[in-house]
Amino acid sequence: MAEFHFIRPWWLAAAFLVVILGFIAWRFCQSQHGWARIIPDHLRHVLLPSDKSMSLRWPLVIISSALTLTCVALAGPTWQRLPQPVYNLQAGSVVIMDMSLSVYSTDVSPNRLSQMRFKATDLVRDKLDGEIGLVAYAADAFTISPLTSDGANLGNLIRALSPDIMPNLGSAPLRALNLADQLLRDAGHAEGDIYWLTDGIDSRDVIDINDFISRTNHRINVLAVGTAEGAPIQLPDGRLLRDSSDNIVIPQLITGNLDTLAQRSGGRFAVVQSDQEDINYLSSLPPRTREGEASQLQAGDQWLDQGAWFIPIIMLLLLPLARRGILVGFVAIVAIGVGSYSPSLLAAKREPLSWQEQLWQTPYQQADQALRNGDYETAAAISPDPWQRGTANYRAGNYDQALVDFSQLDSAEGFYNQGNALMQMQRYDEAANAYDAALKRRPNWPAAQQNHELAEQLKKQQEQQQQQGEQKGQQQTGQQSSNQQSGQQGDSNSQQRNDTTEQTEESSTSPADEEQQRQQEQQKSEAGKQQQSAENGEQKQPLNSASGDPTSEEMQQQMQQWLNRIEDNPAELLRQKMRYEAQQRRRQNLTPGVEKQW
């Protein structure tokens, strides 16, 4: 009983109120009726029976006691925890971190890189379940850690990441997404979550990322770090980054493309905040797969509600009132009161706001809070603002209703969001017209211009796919006939190549063959010598044998001193690892070209 407490202690206030009202009613019954002071004494016993007050006291005591026990039961007395199974979720996630030079921008304190490190560390340590991988990219993408179930150890690797350790400068987000897809598939996750921390992308990357979303089933959740105003890029040595024209580079955060990409993949988008609301919002989505395994039962955070034990006592107290018909009225009052305050009924009614709620927060504030909590349906139901309703419906995936809401706004932002909703519905022609209307009201808007270009490109791709689908049936007949002819020609050509090869092998001898024969003769002679020495009983000891030779101890000491000189700095180890991988890719001609260093 040391852990005895009430789950819902606010019901005790109602019990206290019942006691006060019962005491007042008792005092009223104890006193004479008000007419007793007016009616004469010889008529009082006829008009006002003397046992009336006594007949009302005992039902009052019973009802007050039953209501008090009911409030105590609703308060949820408990002293025992419920056992819960520990469930290991078999979900896959990959965190992608942008390591281009633009993360040195100082528009967020202390800079974008530090904010990315903080957010990524909190994300892998507290917010994600299952297996987690880590990828960093600049001009090329590298695996910092494959998928592991121990996400807390990724914090040291995240703190070691910076643009300085990247082999090549630039920004190639598509390579990072492809690498994340490879890590998830290698770990057996056909569907997974990708958490992408970046400070922006170029318009040329949008089409490729859209293709990536179309051919994969992963959900991309984007955390944008930076501001729309931007700030200079301050390098670690204190210099400000300049372009080829000797102008100071000021990278600006454009969120339109990132938000669109995240929504299209089924993920979420958030801009970095000083608290944890941003990563809470990104990581609050349910996992794509529910596969997992349950381990042994353990005491959890849920408590066993013992209030049900009061029900028999309450029913015994109310049993004497059943014959007088008082019990029926009492039960009806309790049922109406409990039903009206039931959370499930309130959720089913979905009334906008009661006067008690409006007393503390306006409907706009309530809807804004619902948006932050991810309850988009509630926000759309209670918001009086079309912009807020459109945002809630857009994030909930109700693009048709979002289009209706945004259509009520005759502004650049309203037409811009109309275009975003039309893009989600793959009505690219109408979306391009909406972006044109937004640009007329707000010229030189980069986000609207980029989305307009994207809509035109997707429109062309859609038309090409339709044309290819129409021509596909016509080409099949021609391809079959051409394949038969090419097969016959290939058989004759292969027969001619086989004849030519046989003639060449029969008539060719090269100096390399003679050198190979000499090496084989030397190997045979050395093998014969070893066999002869083994027959004579000769034995050789290995260099690192425990033979008591003092030189072995000296060698071990030298080896230990050499190991002690090896640096265990994660940043340096990651630098060497990525440099080696970059060299291997360079040999295979897989190194990407660098168009922009930030």
Side-chain angles (χ1 to χ4, degrees):
M1 300 295 290
E3 296 183 344
F4 177 81
H5 67 282
F6 291 95
I7 302 176
R8 298 171 293 275
W10 54 85
W11 277 102
L12 297 177
F16 182 71
L17 181 61
V18 169
V19 172
I20 294 177
L21 294 177
F23 179 75
I24 295 174
W26 174 271
R27 292 293 301 271
F28 178 77
C29 292
Q30 187 176 6
S31 64
Q32 292 292 333
H33 197 277
W35 287 103
R37 302 176 182 178
I38 302 174
I39 300 175
D41 294 338
H42 65 280
L43 298 176
R44 188 180 303 166
H45 68 282
V46 179
L47 299 177
L48 299 174
S50 59
D51 60 345
K52 181 178 180 180
S53 60
M54 296 299 297
S55 63
L56 294 177
R57 289 179 187 175
W58 67 268
L60 180 62
V61 173
I62 293 176
I63 293 176
S64 299
S65 302
L67 286 175
T68 303
L69 290 178
T70 302
C71 294
V72 174
L74 291 174
T78 182
W79 57 86
Q80 183 180 0
R81 293 178 182 268
L82 287 174
Q84 296 177 354
V86 178
Y87 189 79
N88 296 324
L89 185 65
Q90 296 179 357
S93 305
V94 176
V95 178
I96 297 177
M97 297 188 66
D98 185 356
M99 287 294 117
S100 56
L101 282 178
S102 57
V103 299
Y104 281 136
S105 181
T106 57
D107 51 353
V108 292
S109 180
N111 57 17
R112 297 179 180 179
L113 176 61
S114 300
Q115 287 291 335
M116 284 186 184
R117 290 173 176 172
F118 296 151
K119 297 298 181 180
T121 302
D122 293 340
L123 190 65
V124 301
R125 184 182 57 191
D126 301 326
K127 305 301 180 182
L128 301 183
D129 296 325
E131 297 181 327
I132 309 172
L134 181 61
V135 172
Y137 74 93
D140 204 352
F142 300 92
T143 300
I144 306 302
S145 173
L147 267 69
T148 175
S149 57
D150 190 4
N153 289 332
L154 296 179
N156 294 329
L157 298 176
I158 291 174
R159 287 190 293 269
L161 291 176
S162 68
D164 296 337
I165 67 174
M166 305 303 291
N168 300 310
L169 300 177
S171 180
L174 180 62
R175 288 178 172 265
L177 292 172
N178 289 329
L179 186 56
D181 174 58
Q182 181 181 351
L183 291 177
L184 290 169
R185 293 185 180 278
D186 292 344
H189 302 288
E191 298 180 353
D193 279 291
I194 297 176
Y195 293 89
W196 182 13
L197 284 72
T198 181
D199 62 347
I201 58 175
D202 294 333
S203 58
R204 64 175 182 272
D205 298 323
V206 175
I207 298 177
D208 296 333
I209 298 177
N210 272 293
D211 293 339
F212 173 83
I213 294 173
S214 300
R215 59 183 171 83
T216 59
N217 296 323
H218 305 310
R219 196 165 50 192
I220 302 177
N221 304 283
V222 182
L223 178 62
V225 182
T227 60
E229 294 78 12
I233 300 175
Q234 186 174 3
L235 301 177
D237 56 2
R239 295 183 298 106
L240 299 180
L241 183 65
R242 297 177 179 272
D243 57 12
S244 58
S245 302
D246 201 27
N247 297 321
I248 296 177
V249 177
I250 301 179
Q252 298 175 345
L253 175 61
I254 301 175
T255 60
N257 290 330
L258 295 174
D259 192 1
T260 303
L261 294 173
Q263 295 293 337
R264 188 183 176 199
S265 67
R268 290 182 172 178
F269 170 82
V271 181
V272 66
Q273 300 180 14
S274 57
D275 53 11
Q276 290 193 344
E277 289 297 328
D278 45 7
I279 58 176
N280 288 338
Y281 173 69
L282 292 181
S283 59
S284 59
L285 284 173
R288 300 298 296 264
T289 57
R290 291 288 183 179
E291 299 179 356
E293 55 183 5
S295 61
Q296 59 184 357
L297 297 177
Q298 295 184 1
D301 296 332
Q302 296 184 0
W303 295 84
L304 179 61
D305 193 346
Q306 305 289 348
W309 293 105
F310 287 88
I311 296 178
I313 302 175
I314 296 172
M315 297 303 296
L316 289 176
L317 285 174
L318 297 176
L319 188 60
L321 303 179
R323 297 183 60 183
R324 290 179 171 268
I326 303 176
L327 181 60
V328 178
F330 173 76
V331 172
I333 294 173
V334 172
I336 293 173
V338 173
S340 62
Y341 288 99
S342 174
S344 60
L345 290 179
L346 287 177
K349 291 179 182 178
R350 299 192 60 82
E351 296 179 355
L353 285 177
S354 62
W355 66 270
Q356 298 92 341
E357 294 173 331
Q358 294 183 6
L359 185 63
W360 305 107
Q361 284 184 331
T362 64
Y364 187 89
Q365 292 173 336
Q366 290 275 349
D368 183 67
Q369 184 177 359
L371 280 174
R372 294 182 180 180
N373 296 334
D375 191 0
Y376 304 129
E377 295 181 358
T378 302
I382 66 179
S383 176
D385 183 57
W387 174 273
Q388 206 172 41
R389 288 198 308 270
T391 303
N393 286 313
Y394 185 88
R395 293 182 179 179
N398 301 326
Y399 302 118
D400 294 335
Q401 186 61 39
L403 180 61
V404 174
D405 294 329
F406 288 131
S407 299
Q408 302 177 18
L409 303 172
D410 188 10
S411 62
E413 291 77 9
F415 284 101
Y416 175 81
N417 285 282
Q418 291 179 39
N420 292 340
L422 291 168
M423 288 283 286
Q424 296 292 342
M425 294 184 288
Q426 297 183 358
R427 295 159 59 178
Y428 304 124
D429 191 9
E430 299 177 32
N433 296 332
Y435 291 133
D436 284 336
L439 290 171
K440 290 180 181 178
R441 289 162 176 79
R442 184 178 170 183
N444 300 324
W445 188 3
Q449 291 176 352
Q450 293 178 0
N451 286 3
H452 180 269
E453 295 176 359
L454 177 62
E456 293 291 345
Q457 293 173 358
L458 293 177
K459 175 187 174 182
K460 293 179 181 179
Q461 290 182 1
Q462 192 177 45
E463 293 175 353
Q464 291 176 358
Q465 291 176 358
Q466 292 176 355
Q467 293 177 358
Q468 290 176 0
E470 295 175 355
Q471 296 175 358
K472 185 176 180 180
Q474 301 176 358
Q475 293 177 355
Q476 288 180 352
T477 305
Q479 288 179 355
Q480 291 177 356
S481 59
S482 62
N483 289 336
Q484 293 177 357
Q485 295 177 0
S486 61
Q488 296 175 359
Q489 294 177 359
D491 293 338
S492 60
N493 292 334
S494 61
Q495 182 65 31
Q496 293 177 0
R497 285 196 298 269
N498 291 335
D499 297 339
T500 305
T501 304
E502 291 176 358
Q503 294 175 2
T504 305
E505 290 179 352
E506 291 176 358
S507 61
S508 63
T509 56
S510 63
D513 296 334
E514 297 177 357
E515 181 66 23
Q516 185 177 3
Q517 292 178 359
R518 286 196 297 268
Q519 290 179 358
Q520 291 177 356
E521 292 176 356
Q522 291 178 359
Q523 292 176 357
K524 290 180 181 179
S525 61
E526 291 178 358
K529 292 179 181 179
Q530 291 177 1
Q531 183 178 4
Q532 183 178 1
S533 62
E535 293 175 355
N536 294 334
E538 295 179 357
Q539 296 180 354
K540 294 183 179 180
Q541 295 184 357
L543 294 176
N544 294 329
S545 64
S547 59
D549 188 359
T551 58
S552 62
E553 297 181 358
E554 294 178 359
M555 292 178 62
Q556 292 178 1
Q557 292 179 359
Q558 293 177 359
M559 181 66 69
Q560 186 63 35
Q561 293 177 358
W562 180 78
L563 291 175
N564 292 335
R565 290 196 301 268
I566 297 178
E567 298 181 359
D568 57 354
N569 183 13
E572 186 61 29
L573 295 177
L574 290 175
R575 186 200 304 272
Q576 297 297 332
K577 172 182 176 297
M578 290 186 289
R579 183 178 298 175
Y580 174 76
E581 292 182 7
Q583 292 176 355
Q584 297 295 323
R585 296 173 184 177
R586 194 178 299 114
R587 293 174 182 175
Q588 300 176 4
N589 295 325
L590 299 178
T591 302
V594 179
E595 297 184 8
K596 188 176 68 173
Q597 294 186 348
W598 62 89

